[in-house]
DNA sequence: TAGGCCATCTGGTCCT
DNA sequence: AGGACCAGATGGCCTA
């Protein structure tokens, strides 16, 4: 495309909108530029609001406060949050069932756009940097999707079947810490466990429990065969670190993270 | 250096 | 008419 093909304001026009085009072409270049900057500014604010909401969502996810974890990308934030919500709903259902079995009942939670909008009041009335200059106020709020003319892409989206309901949550088996270690590291030296900081061992077991779909049951480790005092696992699963222990320097160069354990990358010397 | 991620600009379309 | 929303294009930054 040559430089002459570009109009001062109306660029890359793909279809003709004669009214708008005529109106814009009546403007002088300075006025067109001012309008363009105004539109760009609004779009930036809109995207900043979107990112702000995305940051909130990211910070609501488990492990988000862990400085060792890398910041989730936008798409991963959405996907992870979606999966996390499903997980919470499953756990919620399970707990309700347990309550029901105990003869107690509580009313189901009710979610609605209106209550969520109330809780996200700050999105409709953002803090000063993102306050809309629009005389109509900020329209960036949670609301029902607007009706659009069916385009091929939109039609495909509507025609797509809804995702299958999540499978029922099976009662998770509980993992025994000592059994886990004896299964995956059968040739442990007699004094193996005492060589590890117990919170690392606890974290590794807990991480294994999560990755294998089992429930981490805090309990006492065995004595490791060396006549040492038993170790108490006390780390809640919410604090499971995601980083590899190889770098910690406290375990003799042996990594206890699940990934390394399962891939046999670690060696016990 | 390729690929992922992101911010920004931009034009088209819809909504109020 | 003006603003919101959307998606394509583009270039910068970072990392494996």
């Amino acid at each position: 495309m040559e430089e002459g093909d570009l109009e001062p304001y109306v660029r890359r026009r793909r279809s003709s909108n004669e009214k708008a085009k005529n109106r814009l072409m009546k403007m002088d270049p300075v006025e067109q530029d001012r309008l363009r900057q105004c539109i760009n500014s609004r779009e930036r604010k809109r995207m900043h609001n979107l990112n702000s909401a995305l940051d909130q969502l990211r910070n609501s996810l488990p492990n988000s406060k862990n400085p060792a974890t890398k910041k989730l990308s936008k798409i991963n934030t959405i996907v992870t949050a979606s999966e996390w919500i499903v997980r919470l709903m499953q756990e919620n259902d399970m707990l309700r069932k347990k309550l029901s079995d105990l003869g107690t009942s509580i009313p189901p939670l009710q979610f609605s756009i209106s209550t969520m909008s109330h809780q996200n009041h700050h999105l409709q009335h953002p803090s000063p940097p993102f306050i809309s200059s629009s005389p109509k106020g900020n329209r960036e709020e949670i609301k029902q999707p607007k009706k659009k003319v069916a385009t091929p892409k939109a039609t495909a989206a509507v025609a797509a079947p809804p995702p299958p309901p999540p499978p029922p949550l099976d009662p998770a088996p509980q993992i025994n810490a000592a059994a886990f270690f004896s299964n995956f590291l059968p040739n442990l030296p007699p004094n193996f466990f005492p060589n590890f900081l117990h919170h690392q061992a606890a974290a590794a077991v807990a991480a294994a429990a999560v990755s294998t779909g089992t429930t981490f049951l805090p309990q006492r480790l065995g004595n490791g065969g060396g006549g040492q005092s038993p170790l108490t696992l006390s780390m809640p699963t919410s604090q499971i670190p995601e980083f590899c222990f190889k770098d910690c320097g406290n375990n003799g160069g042996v990594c206890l993270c699940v990934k390394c354990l399962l891939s046999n990358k670690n060696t016990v010397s």
Side-chain angles (χ1 to χ4, degrees), chain A residues 158-224:
Chain A
V158 169
L169 192 66
D170 293 325
Q174 293 174 338
I175 190 169
N176 178 284
F180 171 81
F181 276 99
S182 62
N183 283 339
F184 286 99
L185 294 172
N187 300 316
L188 295 176
N191 60 345
F192 184 78
F193 285 134
N195 284 345
F196 291 81
L197 296 178
H198 81 274
H199 74 270
Q200 292 173 344
V205 174
V210 170
S211 71
T212 55
T214 56
T215 293
F216 173 48
L217 177 65
Q219 58 187 295
R220 281 167 123 44
L221 274 174
N223 62 14

Side-chain angles (χ1 to χ4, degrees), chain A residues 7-8 16 65 90 117 135 158 177 192 197 202 214-215 219 237 242 252:
Chain A
E7 296 167 298
S16 61
K65 301 293 188 299
Q90 289 174 343
S117 295
V158 169
F192 184 78
L197 296 178
T214 56
T215 293
Q219 58 187 295
T237 55
E242 292 183 351

Side-chain angles (χ1 to χ4, degrees), chain A residues 189 252 254 267-269:
Chain A
V254 179
T267 57
V268 178
S269 55

Side-chain angles (χ1 to χ4, degrees), chain A residues 37-141:
Chain A
Q37 287 184 14
C38 186
I39 294 172
N40 289 347
S41 176
R42 279 200 306 272
E43 178 65 10
R44 271 196 302 273
K45 284 177 184 173
R46 197 182 69 83
M47 294 308 296
H48 288 167
N49 277 349
L50 189 61
N51 289 339
S52 177
L54 211 47
D55 282 340
Q56 273 192 294
L57 180 62
R58 186 183 288 117
N59 291 334
S60 301
L61 292 174
N63 243 338
S64 64
K65 301 293 188 299
N66 188 346
T69 60
K70 195 178 175 184
K71 181 184 175 185
L72 283 175
S73 68
K74 291 181 177 182
I75 181 65
N76 281 339
T77 297
I78 295 171
V79 170
T80 303
S82 173
E83 291 171 351
W84 182 243
I85 290 169
V86 170
R87 175 78 185 184
L88 289 178
M89 288 194 299
Q90 289 174 343
E91 288 191 17
N92 191 40
D93 288 345
M94 195 175 69
L95 290 173
R96 283 175 186 282
K97 188 173 182 308
K98 283 184 179 177
L99 273 177
S100 172
D101 292 343
L102 291 171
T104 310
S105 66
I106 52 176
L109 286 177
Q110 294 290 339
F111 289 102
S112 68
I113 295 297
S114 60
T115 56
M116 292 180 71
S117 295
H118 175 73
Q119 290 167 1
N120 290 281
H121 183 78
H122 57 283
L123 289 181
Q124 297 174 57
H125 304 278
S127 49
F130 301 130
I131 285 178
S132 170
S133 58
S134 162
K136 293 183 180 179
N138 194 333
R139 289 176 55 187
E140 288 224 11
E141 59 192 73

Side-chain angles (χ1 to χ4, degrees), chain A residues 219-240:
Chain A
Q219 58 187 295
R220 281 167 123 44
L221 274 174
N223 62 14
Q228 310 290 332
S229 300
L231 298 170
T232 300
L233 302 181
S234 57
M235 174 175 280
T237 55
S238 60
Q239 292 177 17
I240 297 167

